């Protein structure tokens, strides 16, 4: 299906219609106005400004944050403070992604610490189950919003530093267990708001049971196609840096595919 010059694979469209879709929401979803939250990299820069601890040019963000924590700084609470302003408001991207589901069958997994999906649902008068690391459900059968790396109201348990990632993906492995059972299930996964260099992508792909990419899709530029395929993800191409095209196409896709007969009659 072609929507706003973006071609969506038939398998993905069928999964939306058949209630087999899971959306993974990354930092890009919460970076648009009026939310304006920083990327993981910009979070590191804000911590560097607060602590005056220089971040190496090629130092991975999670490694830098771990190093600063080991120097005695409470980076977990600082990050949550930055992301938990009282007047923080969701943007249209949050509502667009929620609109792919009815209120009983929401399946959104987010690596963001913010609570913008919950605030969007509250504004719409909707409720759903919410799970947050380390208390994760089974990945092959769940409903609700999953904060895979924790959330701002529980700074102790957010997955932020290299040590946190190591524990959650490898030592304890509860995130990996959730991902593995999800990727082995009948669900079809769409990644939204992630870039090729996101730290979570290298951890996600370690949990993939195969590299065919048949049930996992991600938005990409032309030059990123081969890189994503090697990670076991099928790229959906959009114009480079044209985020309006990306989210407008998602908005229109949800209206075209999710609308039932009654809603179509009302629309007509």
């Amino acid at each position: 299906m072609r929507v706003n010059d973006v071609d969506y694979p038939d398998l993905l469209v069928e999964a939306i219609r058949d209630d087999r879709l899971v959306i993974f929401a990354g930092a890009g979803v919460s970076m648009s106005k009026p939310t304006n939250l920083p990327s993981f990299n910009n979070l590191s820069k804000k911590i560097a400004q607060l602590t005056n601890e220089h971040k190496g040019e090629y130092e991975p963000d999670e490694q830098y944050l771990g190093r600063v924590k080991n120097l005695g700084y409470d980076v977990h609470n600082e990050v949550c403070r930055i992301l938990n302003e009282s007047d923080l408001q969701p943007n249209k991207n949050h509502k667009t992604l929620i609109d792919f589901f009815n209120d009983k069958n929401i399946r959104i997994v987010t690596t963001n610490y913010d609570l913008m999906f919950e605030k969007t649902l509250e504004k719409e008068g909707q409720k759903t189950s919410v799970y947050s690391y380390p208390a994760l459900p089974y990945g092959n059968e769940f409903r609700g919003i999953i904060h895979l790396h924790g959330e701002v109201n529980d700074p102790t348990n957010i997955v932020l530093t290299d040590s946190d990632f190591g524990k959650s993906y490898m030592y304890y492995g509860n995130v990996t267990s959730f991902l593995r059972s999800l990727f082995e299930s009948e669900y079809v996964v769409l990644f939204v708001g992630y870039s090729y260099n996101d730290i979570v992508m290298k951890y996600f792909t370690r949990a993939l049971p195969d590299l065919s990419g048949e049930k996992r899709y991600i938005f990409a530029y032309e030059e990123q196609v081969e890189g994503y395929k090697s990670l076991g993800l099928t790229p959906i191409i959009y114009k480079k840096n044209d985020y309006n095209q990306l989210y407008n196409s998602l908005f229109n896709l949800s209206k075209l595919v999710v609308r039932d007969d009654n809603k179509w009659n009302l629309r007509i």
Side-chain angles (χ1 to χ4, degrees):
M1 179 180 287
R2 189 170 180 83
V3 184
N4 291 70
D5 293 325
V6 177
D7 289 315
Y8 290 92
D10 291 341
L11 185 60
L12 176 60
V13 174
E14 291 171 6
I16 298 169
R17 288 177 174 152
D18 296 341
D19 188 29
R20 291 185 293 109
L21 176 70
V22 175
I23 288 178
F24 271 68
V29 173
S30 293
M31 289 169 64
S32 299
K33 296 178 180 179
T35 315
N36 293 325
L37 287 179
S39 65
F40 197 73
N41 179 253
N42 285 333
L43 271 178
S44 295
K45 292 178 180 178
K46 287 180 178 290
I47 294 298
Q49 292 171 354
L50 288 170
T51 62
N52 290 320
E53 290 294 336
H54 176 70
K55 180 179 180 294
E57 184 178 359
Y58 300 107
E59 187 176 17
D61 294 304
E62 74 279 13
Q63 183 175 316
Y64 165 74
L65 292 168
R67 178 167 63 81
V68 173
K69 180 181 184 299
N70 290 337
L71 291 173
Y73 294 98
D74 191 351
V75 293
H76 292 77
N77 271 297
E78 285 296 338
V79 163
C80 288
R81 183 186 61 79
I82 293 169
L83 299 177
N84 203 20
E85 297 176 6
S86 59
D87 61 345
L88 200 62
Q89 295 299 315
N91 58 49
K92 65 179 183 180
N93 304 336
H94 299 104
K95 176 67 165 59
T96 293
L97 298 185
I98 285 173
D99 281 350
F100 276 92
F101 311 90
N102 64 49
D103 57 351
K104 294 181 180 178
N105 292 326
I106 291 173
R107 291 191 200 89
I108 295 176
V109 180
T110 180
T111 47
N112 299 340
Y113 312 120
D114 65 75
L115 303 176
M116 293 301 98
F117 285 115
E118 291 88 332
K119 186 169 283 192
T120 300
L121 287 171
E122 184 180 344
K123 288 185 174 183
E124 296 294 314
Q126 297 176 258
K127 292 183 179 180
T128 191
S129 300
V130 178
Y131 303 87
S132 183
Y133 175 84
L136 302 176
Y138 294 113
N140 60 341
E141 183 60 39
F142 72 94
R143 299 284 192 279
I145 295 170
I146 313 295
H147 286 278
L148 197 65
H149 292 165
E151 49 93 357
V152 291
N153 289 333
D154 187 11
T156 302
N157 282 317
I158 63 171
V159 179
L160 183 68
T161 67
D162 51 355
S163 176
D164 297 331
F165 276 95
K167 289 176 182 177
S168 61
Y169 280 83
M170 289 170 252
Y171 186 76
Y172 296 120
N174 41 350
V175 171
T176 301
S177 295
F178 171 82
L179 292 173
R180 185 179 295 113
S181 60
L182 169 59
F183 291 142
E184 290 176 345
S185 72
E186 293 302 312
Y187 294 134
V188 172
V189 176
L190 175 63
F191 292 91
V192 183
Y194 293 95
S195 68
Y196 184 73
N197 294 321
D198 276 345
I199 172 182
V200 294
M201 296 313 298
K202 69 180 182 182
Y203 284 98
F204 277 161
T205 52
R206 293 178 182 177
L208 295 179
D210 68 79
L211 296 178
S212 67
E214 289 182 353
K215 296 192 296 183
R216 295 177 292 273
Y217 300 91
I218 190 167
F219 290 98
Y221 315 145
E222 285 284 358
E223 56 265 37
Q224 295 175 327
V225 168
E226 292 306 316
Y228 276 131
K229 285 183 177 179
S230 68
L231 294 177
L233 304 170
T234 298
I236 299 173
I237 309 301
Y238 74 105
K239 295 177 184 176
K240 188 173 184 178
N241 296 329
D242 192 346
Y243 302 112
N244 284 329
Q245 181 201 27
L246 190 161
Y247 287 106
N248 286 338
S249 74
L250 279 171
F251 173 82
N252 290 320
L253 178 67
S254 72
K255 301 307 177 188
L256 286 169
V257 179
V258 178
R259 195 179 276 144
D260 60 23
D261 291 342
N262 183 52
K263 292 179 179 178
W264 271 115
N265 289 332
L266 289 173
R267 174 65 175 166
I268 291 170

